[in-house]
Amino acid sequence: MAEAEREAAFLSSMQALNESAGGYSNTGDASCEQIDSSDEYDPAQDVQDVSLPGPSQPDPSNQNSPVPSSNNPSRPASAQAPLCEKQPAAEGVQTDSVKSPTGAQQTARFSLPGTPANDVNSSSSTVTASRAGEPVATNMPRARLPYDTIGILEDRIKEDEKGDIQAWLSLIEEHKARGKIDEARKTYERFLTVFPQAAEQWVAYVQMENESGKKAVVEEIFQKKLNDLASLSMWTAYLNHIRRYFSLATDKSGQASQVNHAAYEAVLDKVGLDKDSGQLWLDYIQFIKSSPGLIGGTSWQDQQKMDLLRKAYQRAVCVPTQSVEIIWKEYSAFEMSLNKLTGRKFLQERSPDYMSARSSYTELQNITRDLKRTTLSLLPPALGFEGDTEYMNQVEIWKRWIQWEKGDPLVLKDDTPAAYKDRIVYAYKQALMALWFWPEMWFDAAEFCFESDLESQGTDFLTQGIAANPESCLLAFKQADRLELSTTNGNDDESKAQRGNKVREPYNSLLEALYDLITKAMERESKEIARIEAEFPSSESGPQTNGIVSQDDDDKDNSDDEKPKEMDKKQSRVNMVKAMHSVQISILNRTISHAWIALMRAMQRMQGKGKIGALIGGSRQIFTDARKKGRITSEVWIASALLEFHNTDSESAKRIFERGLKLFPEDENFALEYIKLLVHTNDNTNARVVFEKTVDKLLQKPSTAGKAKSLFSFFHRYEAQYGELAQVMKLEQRIKEAYPDDPKLSAFSQRYMNDNFDPTAIRPLISPAVQAKPKMMIPTIEAPQPTAPHVFASVEAPMSVLQPPAVPTPPTIHIAPITNSPKRPLPIDDFNTDQNPPRKLARGESPLAGAAGRRLNAAKQSRQTFETPSATPGAGYSVPPPPLPRDVLFLLSIIPPASTYLPSMVIPPEAVVRLVRETNIPTSVNQLPPRQPQMTPSAPTPSQLPPQIAMPPSSGYPLMPPGHYPGQMGHPR
């Protein structure tokens, strides 16, 4: 078979496979005829049937399937052409035709309107598969030789340029080891284009050029990227470069000193807020100390030096760094050496800032203890796969750092709001260098800037975030909303069209990125399947190994016996690959659909329904472009129909639903939305027709029978509320026959219940005294005291007296009366200190120090001996355990009982340990939260307390009322 025919057969099989897995054609609605934009809007005029291939319906993506003839009057000629041929382009839609390697096949690919055709990635899989009975033929890249290290690394980078960071770094080191500086430079440029935030690699790039003596290249790098990176290492490299070429040792004119001072100021303005910038501040202070002038002198140069040094000290002690204490000690010595009187004044003014910076640095160190500060960002692992927990932990630490900065620990928000905002923006920049591929962080940074009147920085965050994550719907939607809010429609159609094109740019970029992801996913699937095919011998070519045919008959027989097992193993691996990629492509299809829906709604807001092919296309033009582009789900059809219904009329919406029902005959959600629309418009007859047609089709296959449950549920409620009772009974009988094991749908009570109340399940409370009797009382903190028989019972006492009661009596809730001390009576008259001043009387000897005390001690010892459990067998008596401490009893009273916990409710010990470890403990009294002022001047008396609260003796807090905590009586569960 010719190569072109094999390639065509493979493409057809791959399209059919992806349609059966994802449910949608790759080519979309290939028809390019325009839809009439008049009030009689009918999408059926130009839509090609691209629904799932059924038993009576040909597969439009299969070239071998029958195609309706062109003489069909119900379909235009453009809608009946084979998909492998190039379709005529519609007005305003650009196409890009790419020939196959053999020139025998052409594929048409539509580009998004408003984007150049050559920007569309028209690459497709070049792997070919054989038809049944022919050997596998692939044009996969030839395997690299083991010693071709550079070629192997280049292949890894080409396959996964964002994920395989190690391949990039290894390739750079390989070029350096071989002395190929030019190749290493090119690789650095390619790498830093993909990872522009990788400050460590920028520094390594600068270091390589410095070692090569390329000063001009180094300065070009700094000029191009320095202002975009808030990296301490990058700015330190810039400062080292300045100090190297503007040496102070040979500075006779003072120009080098000025350049160094300006460089220090620029670096400190950019990264002086960093918590690790302590050494940078120390170097700056040392640079000022080494400048001309004498500290303590009287000349203008001496005074200028002292002013610069004082200013540097005062700036440095306000920044929470690891060197803040050292700088404060030096600053104290500096001020006191000049003038003790003014020195104390300056130190007193800066002391609060220093104390805040020192304590804040301690807090920040506790927050970032487990933080990995890196600028080489990794792609976020998928949830449930390796590395997802560690990655999310890093995200949470960065969020805590930013939230800590927003809490204003340095008290800057009121006095210097600009400095407060700068610290938060700097924290966001540090987080984004580590989380470059985490769109939520970009979104939060832009939102903060917009809320803080930092419009330019917020726009920069959005622009950089979209460049780093072009497939992020979150960032694209946010930028489109900002553009829509910042622009307005003019009086003419030209201004409306310009506004629409401007708002559409983020959507076009997003859709192109998503379509490109689908193309790459399909290419990976094809390569993996071809690789699996190459590992196993063909079913009809005989046993072969690397092209060498075995000549041994015994080996041939053994190979024939093992062939079915190998084929089963191969098929299982192929099915696994297809299933994995099918899930990915299905998610991308839904994402693309929602992007089209968002764009459609935006155009409806700005341009209305519009007219297809006109200057003002509106939402209808977007719907047409989405169908031509393909890869859309039924949700796009639903959204378009509902937009027509709510903004124009219901007839256009019904026509869209009618056409969509032919494309998605087994989509229960689409049918349900159609039925809801018909019910809303009082078209009950057509609603029943759609219901019967869809349900009958779904119940024909066991695999789709479960989809009809939602339709049955909705229509059963509709019939119960607005239909005849006979129809309801008939429908319930039908439900029982369709789902005999599912009693929920056929429940009688569903006729009379709504979403949040079921009157048939209510049991009215007739006798509260009998039906609402409480089960138990809440125990008090004080443990019940043992009764006299338990304490003083003799050996001759009957066993019934010694045994504890079978059912313990619940302790009662009581309020301990307030009494005077038994040791020193305190009459009320003694409160009047003017008439009765306090008296100091000699305390008498304790009455328990004599014989009475010895008798009481002997009684206690005898009681302990008596309460010791006896080892006599058959005694049947167990002494109750000693009473628990008061605080333990209070804790047990608020903990829910064991019956409320489910088997799945497991408290992870590592989470508890992490919570204890990460709890921030204040290091000073100033960090404690302010105490709430008392609402009453004095504590309430016992008569003022509610009766349900018990105040035990020596307790600093009352018991909680019933039902306050889960597990207590009266708490709703």
Side-chain angles (χ1 to χ4, degrees):
M1 180 180 292
E3 181 69 17
E5 296 178 357
R6 287 199 298 268
E7 183 174 356
F10 171 72
L11 292 176
S12 300
S13 62
M14 288 303 299
Q15 289 180 1
L17 172 64
N18 285 308
E19 286 184 6
S20 61
Y24 313 104
S25 173
N26 184 27
T27 55
D29 297 339
S31 175
C32 301
E33 295 291 333
Q34 295 185 9
I35 299 177
D36 187 12
S37 300
S38 63
D39 293 338
E40 297 297 330
Y41 175 53
D42 185 7
Q45 298 179 24
D46 70 321
V47 181
Q48 185 176 358
D49 195 349
V50 292
S51 59
L52 283 173
S56 61
Q57 184 179 356
D59 184 359
S61 63
N62 191 349
Q63 298 176 3
N64 297 325
S65 60
V67 180
S69 60
S70 59
N71 55 5
N72 189 349
S74 62
R75 298 168 63 94
S78 61
Q80 303 176 32
L83 295 180
C84 60
E85 298 180 0
K86 183 176 179 180
Q87 306 294 330
E91 182 179 354
V93 180
Q94 301 175 355
T95 60
D96 188 12
S97 177
V98 180
K99 292 185 178 181
S100 63
T102 59
Q105 184 184 11
Q106 292 181 349
T107 58
R109 180 181 177 88
F110 289 97
S111 63
L112 288 174
T115 58
N118 55 5
D119 289 343
V120 180
N121 184 8
S122 57
S123 61
S124 60
S125 177
T126 58
V127 182
T128 60
S130 63
R131 290 186 178 180
E134 294 188 4
V136 178
T138 63
N139 55 356
M140 294 179 60
R142 184 176 300 175
R144 299 278 186 177
L145 296 177
Y147 52 83
D148 188 7
T149 306
I150 294 179
I152 294 174
L153 293 174
E154 288 286 0
D155 291 342
R156 290 171 54 185
I157 293 172
K158 183 179 180 181
E159 185 175 356
D160 189 7
E161 64 175 4
K162 285 187 177 181
D164 199 349
I165 298 179
Q166 190 59 41
W168 284 104
L169 302 180
S170 299
L171 182 59
I172 293 173
E173 294 301 325
E174 185 69 21
H175 286 312
K176 287 182 180 180
R178 298 186 181 187
K180 299 180 179 180
I181 302 301
D182 293 338
E183 296 297 329
R185 184 181 297 112
K186 294 178 182 179
T187 308
Y188 265 125
E189 292 293 338
R190 292 164 49 199
F191 173 80
L192 293 173
T193 302
V194 181
F195 301 94
Q197 85 294 346
E200 289 93 343
Q201 303 309 315
W202 281 107
V203 173
Y205 187 14
V206 169
Q207 184 178 359
M208 184 190 73
E209 298 296 351
N210 276 328
E211 293 175 355
S212 302
K214 303 290 185 179
K215 178 183 176 182
V217 177
V218 173
E219 293 178 353
E220 183 181 356
I221 293 173
F222 286 138
Q223 185 178 4
K224 178 176 64 176
K225 199 62 186 177
L226 188 61
N227 288 325
D228 297 335
L229 288 176
S231 171
L232 182 61
S233 59
M234 186 66 176
W235 282 92
T236 302
Y238 163 74
L239 185 60
N240 294 335
H241 177 78
I242 295 297
R243 289 188 291 191
R244 175 184 178 182
Y245 290 99
F246 294 90
S247 177
L248 299 176
T250 58
D251 184 24
K252 297 181 180 180
S253 62
Q255 181 181 3
S257 178
Q258 295 178 3
V259 172
N260 277 268
H261 186 269
Y264 268 113
E265 289 291 337
V267 173
L268 291 174
D269 288 340
K270 287 291 184 179
V271 294
L273 304 177
D274 200 286
K275 72 182 187 67
D276 297 330
S277 62
Q279 186 60 43
L280 182 62
W281 285 103
L282 290 175
D283 293 343
Y284 179 48
I285 293 172
Q286 187 62 34
F287 166 75
I288 297 177
K289 289 181 178 180
S290 62
S291 62
L294 181 64
I295 297 177
T298 57
S299 65
W300 67 268
Q301 193 174 27
D302 300 336
Q303 295 292 331
Q304 184 184 39
K305 180 177 181 179
M306 287 186 293
D307 292 340
L308 289 175
L309 191 58
R310 178 179 290 109
K311 182 179 179 181
Y313 274 127
Q314 292 178 354
R315 291 173 59 190
V317 296
C318 297
V319 182
T321 62
Q322 71 274 26
S323 304
V324 65
E325 296 184 9
I326 299 175
I327 296 175
W328 175 257
K329 292 180 181 179
E330 292 184 3
Y331 178 50
S332 301
F334 166 75
E335 292 291 358
M336 298 303 290
S337 63
L338 296 178
N339 190 318
K340 293 185 178 181
L341 183 61
T342 58
R344 290 191 183 96
K345 175 179 175 296
F346 284 124
L347 292 177
Q348 186 177 2
E349 292 176 354
R350 293 296 174 180
S351 179
D353 297 334
Y354 159 69
M355 296 297 294
S356 298
R358 187 182 66 175
S359 60
S360 298
Y361 177 74
T362 304
E363 295 179 10
L364 191 56
Q365 284 295 98
N366 294 332
I367 293 174
T368 61
R369 183 183 297 111
D370 298 329
L371 182 64
K372 298 178 182 178
R373 293 191 67 180
T374 178
T375 60
L376 194 58
S377 179
L378 301 176
L379 290 172
L383 295 179
F385 290 85
E386 182 180 359
D388 63 330
T389 304
E390 293 78 4
Y391 191 91
M392 293 306 300
N393 288 339
Q394 294 297 309
V395 174
E396 292 300 324
I397 294 175
W398 281 112
K399 288 183 178 180
R400 287 203 302 269
W401 184 355
I402 295 171
Q403 195 62 33
W404 179 82
E405 292 286 357
K406 291 182 178 180
D408 194 18
L410 298 177
V411 196
L412 301 173
K413 189 174 183 179
D414 296 332
D415 298 335
T416 54
Y420 167 75
K421 297 176 183 178
D422 290 342
R423 288 195 61 87
I424 298 176
V425 171
Y426 182 81
Y428 271 119
K429 290 181 178 180
Q430 299 303 305
L432 288 171
M433 284 192 293
L435 306 175
W436 191 257
F437 302 111
W438 190 252
E440 287 81 353
M441 190 61 69
W442 290 100
F443 180 85
D444 292 341
E447 276 290 296
F448 172 78
C449 292
F450 292 141
E451 294 173 358
S452 304
D453 297 331
L454 303 174
E455 294 290 333
S456 61
Q457 296 191 36
T459 304
D460 292 341
F461 276 131
L462 275 182
T463 304
Q464 296 178 15
I466 291 176
N469 305 274
E471 68 285 344
S472 173
C473 294
L474 177 67
L475 299 178
F477 294 166
K478 180 62 179 179
Q479 189 181 42
D481 289 348
R482 293 288 304 177
L483 292 175
E484 184 177 351
L485 291 174
S486 60
T487 57
T488 56
N489 287 333
N491 297 326
D492 54 345
D493 293 343
E494 185 68 26
S495 62
K496 293 182 180 180
Q498 292 179 358
R499 184 190 181 195
N501 294 333
K502 187 175 182 181
V503 174
R504 190 168 179 175
E505 291 177 359
Y507 291 105
N508 288 342
S509 301
L510 171 65
L511 289 169
E512 287 295 337
L514 293 175
Y515 278 111
D516 186 61
L517 286 180
I518 291 183
T519 303
K520 292 181 179 179
M522 296 177 64
E523 290 178 355
R524 285 196 299 267
E525 179 184 4
S526 303
K527 291 179 181 179
E528 292 178 9
I529 293 176
R531 190 179 297 111
I532 295 173
E533 294 282 352
E535 293 179 3
F536 292 90
S538 178
S539 59
E540 295 186 4
S541 60
Q544 298 180 4
T545 305
N546 298 329
I548 301 176
V549 182
S550 176
Q551 301 296 330
D552 190 5
D553 295 339
D554 296 336
D555 294 342
K556 183 176 181 180
D557 295 338
N558 295 333
S559 178
D560 293 339
D561 296 337
E562 295 178 356
K563 187 181 300 182
K565 298 181 179 179
E566 293 181 354
M567 295 303 296
D568 293 341
K569 184 178 180 181
K570 181 188 73 172
Q571 190 61 35
S572 63
R573 291 178 58 183
V574 170
N575 293 338
M576 186 181 301
V577 171
K578 290 181 179 179
M580 179 183 67
H581 287 85
S582 175
V583 173
Q584 297 177 5
I585 293 175
S586 177
I587 295 175
L588 290 174
N589 287 337
R590 294 201 64 183
T591 307
I592 288 174
S593 299
H594 282 78
W596 281 113
I597 292 172
L599 177 57
M600 191 188 310
R601 292 169 178 169
M603 289 301 169
Q604 177 68 38
R605 292 191 297 266
M606 293 184 295
Q607 299 179 354
K609 64 181 181 180
K611 184 177 181 181
I612 299 174
L615 185 62
I616 305 299
S619 60
R620 291 181 175 179
Q621 182 65 53
I622 302 302
F623 182 47
T624 304
D625 295 340
R627 290 181 295 116
K628 290 177 180 179
K629 189 68 176 177
R631 287 289 173 188
I632 60 174
T633 64
S634 62
E635 294 163 317
V636 179
W637 288 76
I638 295 174
S640 177
L642 294 180
L643 280 177
E644 293 287 341
F645 174 72
H646 290 288
N647 294 281
T648 56
D649 58 351
S650 59
E651 295 302 323
S652 299
K654 289 180 181 180
R655 282 192 287 269
I656 294 176
F657 270 119
E658 290 173 2
R659 182 57 181 167
L661 194 61
K662 300 177 181 178
L663 300 178
F664 310 99
E666 296 181 355
D667 193 331
E668 73 280 7
N669 295 325
F670 186 85
L672 182 60
E673 293 295 332
Y674 189 17
I675 293 173
K676 289 180 179 179
L677 177 67
L678 294 174
V679 169
H680 189 74
T681 57
N682 294 326
D683 194 354
N684 302 329
T685 302
N686 285 329
R688 288 186 173 89
V689 171
V690 174
F691 169 75
E692 294 293 340
K693 181 180 178 181
T694 307
V695 167
D696 291 342
K697 192 174 188 62
L698 293 176
L699 293 179
Q700 290 177 0
K701 302 177 183 178
S703 59
T704 60
K707 295 182 177 181
K709 288 185 178 181
S710 59
L711 298 175
F712 275 121
S713 178
F714 173 80
F715 217 76
H716 177 266
R717 179 174 297 182
Y718 169 74
E719 292 287 359
Q721 292 177 354
Y722 312 108
E724 297 291 336
L725 183 60
Q727 294 292 336
V728 177
M729 299 291 292
K730 183 179 178 181
L731 184 60
E732 289 182 356
Q733 182 63 29
R734 189 177 178 185
I735 294 174
K736 291 180 181 179
E737 295 175 357
Y739 308 102
D741 298 332
D742 191 358
K744 296 180 180 179
L745 289 176
S746 59
F748 175 80
S749 60
Q750 288 191 353
R751 303 184 195 175
Y752 309 99
M753 62 183 296
N754 57 15
D755 295 335
N756 54 11
F757 187 74
D758 184 7
T760 62
I762 297 300
R763 295 193 296 268
L765 193 62
I766 300 173
S767 176
V770 177
Q771 295 178 274
K773 185 183 297 183
K775 292 184 178 181
M776 59 177 296
M777 301 292 291
I778 301 176
T780 59
I781 295 178
E782 296 295 335
Q785 298 295 332
T787 57
H790 286 280
V791 178
F792 302 102
S794 62
V795 181
E796 294 80 11
M799 187 59 66
S800 60
V801 179
L802 297 176
Q803 290 181 349
V807 180
T809 303
T812 59
I813 302 176
H814 65 277
I815 300 177
I818 300 176
T819 59
N820 296 332
S821 173
K823 297 182 179 180
R824 180 183 299 176
L826 187 60
I828 302 300
D829 296 339
D830 288 348
F831 283 104
N832 190 351
T833 56
D834 296 334
Q835 300 178 0
N836 301 315
R839 295 168 293 177
K840 293 184 179 180
L841 302 177
R843 180 180 298 178
E845 186 178 1
S846 174
L848 302 180
R854 289 192 295 270
R855 287 194 298 268
L856 183 58
N857 189 18
K860 289 182 179 180
Q861 293 179 359
S862 63
R863 183 181 61 184
Q864 294 176 0
T865 304
F866 172 76
E867 291 181 351
T868 304
S870 175
T872 305
Y877 173 71
S878 60
V879 179
L884 296 175
R886 181 195 61 183
D887 296 336
V888 176
L889 286 175
F890 176 73
L891 177 62
L892 294 177
S893 66
I894 64 176
I895 293 179
S899 59
T900 60
Y901 290 93
L902 300 176
S904 59
M905 298 174 60
V906 179
I907 299 177
E910 60 274 7
V912 177
V913 174
R914 183 169 62 253
L915 176 63
V916 175
R917 185 179 69 249
E918 296 177 357
T919 300
N920 294 326
I921 300 176
T923 57
S924 63
V925 181
N926 298 330
Q927 300 176 13
L928 294 176
R931 182 175 298 177
Q932 297 295 334
Q934 295 183 358
M935 302 302 296
T936 56
S938 60
T941 61
S943 60
Q944 296 174 345
L945 290 174
Q948 69 271 21
I949 299 180
M951 181 70 72
S954 67
S955 175
Y957 44 84
L959 280 176
M960 297 303 171
H964 186 78
Y965 288 99
Q968 291 184 341
M969 183 190 65
H971 186 276
R973 296 182 180 173

